[in-house]
Amino acid sequence: MNSVWPLVITLGYVAIAMVIGLKARAGRRMDTLEEWGVAGRSMGPVVLYLLIAAGSVSAYTFMGAPGWAYSKGVAVFYVAVYLAYLALVAWYFGPKVWQFGAQFGHVTQASAIADRYQSAALGALAALVMAVGSVAYAVLQTVGSAYILFVMSGGAIPVWLGVIIVLASIALYLYISGQRAIGRTSAFQGALMLVVAWAVGLWAVHSATGGLDMADVFKRIQAEHGEFLTLPGARGDMSFSFWTTSIIVSMFSFMPPVWTQWMCASSARTIRRSATWLPTYYVVILPMVIVGFIGIYSLPDLARADTVVLEYAMANLPVVLVGLLGAGTLAASMSSSEPFIHSVSLSITKDVLQPLFKLSDALTAKLARWLLLPVMALVIAPLAIAEPGSLVMILLVGLGFASQVLPAFIGMFFWPRASKLGVMAGIVAGFMVTVAFTTLWSHPLGIHAGFWGLMLNLPVFIGVSLMTPATQADVVERFFRIAAPRGLKRLGKQTSDKSASTNAV
Amino acid sequence: MRRLFVLPTSRAGWGLLAAFICLVMAGIWPVIGLLNRAVLVFGLPLMIVWSYGVIFACVGVMLIGNRIVERDDHE
């Protein structure tokens, strides 16, 4: 590919994102975590919809998902299903999290955990271990961004330079405008991704079949490669149990940036409205996946499955569309990495450094912004440039841990008796199992390691909680006035026990 | 306190919980196993059509949920 247009269009996207991100501040002072961290809890339903949607659609949708379709087939759609289930999770929990934040002043997930269990140590532990998974995720997205710049420039922008360009752009507007920059850029990125995905998908169908009917692609796959249309997929490695447990584990992984996004809403109702329509965005996955299916018969000998869309586009699509694909893929990577980088900086400052050094709120807010720079320059950039082979493993362990924090949320939303020690014991037990079943014995019996972790985690959590002191009653009461505004029920009895309301907690 | 738990308090709430559970069940085994056939529906593989059916059913259930929550006037 000799044309300069793909690179011009891709860099044009970066410039537009920069302008939008920098202008998002709109003259506001960013010297409080309330403003820099959660955008003054001001986002409306449309921006919130695109913020959550763009954040959940990463480079995976533009590269990984078509790669899965190319190598495994329809198994890739477990991602679309669990993303829709995450909308159900947002619909139920999001408004309650928003109320926690608005009433108790939380700006991070770990703050809420520390408050519910009256334990700064538990909050710090949650912040630190969630940071491992978050950093790994941000690094993977940055690698994807740099790779796109490398390809679009025909190799003129090496990976190390691509990493610096992308991180410098993000650092600038995140420092200046904080969560407002994430909201505005995500709105732009979300719209761009949707348009690009369908434009590329339909053009690819046209170039492969001569028409716009996707059925022609699948008729050929059905006739020649029927194994791609069912589980366990063409490689035989996506069993029903892995599909099922992956969805369940992913559903219960409450990642910190998502929690923070919920707290950015202008009201509890706003979250519910955004979550309701959120699954509609995932039509963005279909056209990209179809390019992966086309690749099965048109590019049968690819060395790397996740390059299928780029390879197909460069061979068959006009240069302008290739450039838009570069911009769309870069948008997907950046829209996913920004919230994670912001969240790490915010949570480490608020939940680890502030209690440790007894910092004032003003200094904490200032430090959170500055911490972006070392996080990016000393952690994310070197890791992205080095591309350690264990990165995906770190990510899997990190995400496996995210699901192991589930007991903390059960105690926050459902079970007032949950204790600090019960949560800690459950997390430690579940995490060790998850690590072992990710690294030593990968997904035994085809069941996701995080699911194995939960199977030990939950009984340990319940048992230890029942044996150790509960959190003080007044704290539990204020949380459950929001989590259960109509009171709680006593398990094992037939009738609703109004007297067993929050007053009895 | 040890046996207190948050559960729905109205018939509509229980119905909504049942709908949520049905949605989740629709996207995992054993339901997925029943649909695991290499056939095309509307020109798309059955698994893709079913996945998007589940996805849009989520929207429908949440729309109904919004009516229930807003009718009851509590968050």
Side-chain angles (χ1 to χ4, degrees), chain A residues 167-289:
Chain A
L167 288 182
S169 311
I170 293 175
L172 199 57
Y173 61 69
L174 275 189
Y175 179 83
I176 299 287
S177 306
Q179 188 67 250
R180 287 186 188 275
I182 300 175
R184 293 288 176 87
T185 54
S186 291
F188 167 60
Q189 290 156 339
L192 178 70
M193 285 187 271
L194 200 55
V195 171
V196 168
W198 277 96
V200 168
L202 290 175
W203 201 291
V205 169
H206 188 267
S207 72
T209 67
L212 290 175
D213 191 353
M214 295 174 185
D216 294 336
V217 175
F218 289 111
K219 281 176 188 164
R220 183 163 173 186
I221 296 288
Q222 186 186 33
E224 298 174 11
H225 307 281
E227 69 277 14
F228 282 87
L229 301 187
T230 55
L231 301 182
R235 289 185 181 173
D237 57 357
M238 190 67 175
S239 62
F240 290 132
S241 55
F242 198 73
W243 167 291
T244 300
T245 54
S246 298
I247 287 175
I248 291 171
V249 168
S250 304
M251 253 184 86
F252 293 125
S253 300
F254 289 67
M255 294 305 286
V258 177
W259 191 284
T260 303
Q261 287 165 358
W262 293 343
M263 288 193 290
C264 295
S266 57
S267 70
R269 188 168 183 261
T270 299
I271 303 176
R272 201 174 289 117
R273 293 275 150 172
S274 300
T276 299
W277 294 103
L278 197 54
T280 59
Y281 188 81
Y282 303 127
V283 295
V284 74
I285 297 172
L286 180 61
M288 299 311 294
V289 162

Side-chain angles (χ1 to χ4, degrees), chain A residues 7 12 24 29 50 84 123 164 182 184 222 276 281-282 299 302 328 366 385 396 411 443-444 460:
Chain A
L7 181 62
R29 292 178 65 85
L50 288 167
I164 292 171
I182 300 175
R184 293 288 176 87
Q222 186 186 33
T276 299
Y281 188 81
Y282 303 127
L299 298 167
L302 279 182
K366 190 179 281 185
I385 291 167
L396 288 175
H443 308 303
V460 168

Side-chain angles (χ1 to χ4, degrees), chain A residues 49 84 87-88 91 272-282, chain B residues 23 52-66:
Chain A
Y49 169 93
L88 296 179
W91 187 89
R272 201 174 289 117
R273 293 275 150 172
S274 300
T276 299
W277 294 103
L278 197 54
T280 59
Y281 188 81
Y282 303 127
Chain B
L23 283 173
Y52 275 105
V54 170
I55 288 167
F56 285 103
C58 287
V59 176
V61 168
M62 286 189 279
L63 281 171
I64 294 167
N66 289 342

Side-chain angles (χ1 to χ4, degrees), chain A residues 29-52:
Chain A
R29 292 178 65 85
M30 288 286 158
D31 52 3
T32 63
L33 288 184
E34 192 74 10
E35 190 58 61
W36 187 80
V38 292
R41 305 185 202 275
S42 63
M43 288 187 185
V46 176
V47 172
L48 193 67
Y49 169 93
L50 288 167
L51 172 67
I52 301 175

Side-chain angles (χ1 to χ4, degrees), chain A residues 89 92-100 109 112-113 116-117 254 259 262 406-416 418 479-480 482-485 487-488, chain B residues 4-7:
Chain A
V89 169
Y92 181 79
F93 295 103
K96 296 178 193 301
V97 167
W98 184 86
Q99 283 184 291
F100 290 157
Q109 183 186 66
I113 293 173
R116 163 63 179 85
Y117 297 98
F254 289 67
W259 191 284
W262 293 343
L406 182 63
F409 307 124
I410 291 175
M412 201 176 287
F413 298 106
F414 296 112
W415 192 39
F479 268 85
F480 278 85
I482 292 170
L488 296 130
Chain B
L4 292 179
F5 206 78
V6 177
L7 288 170

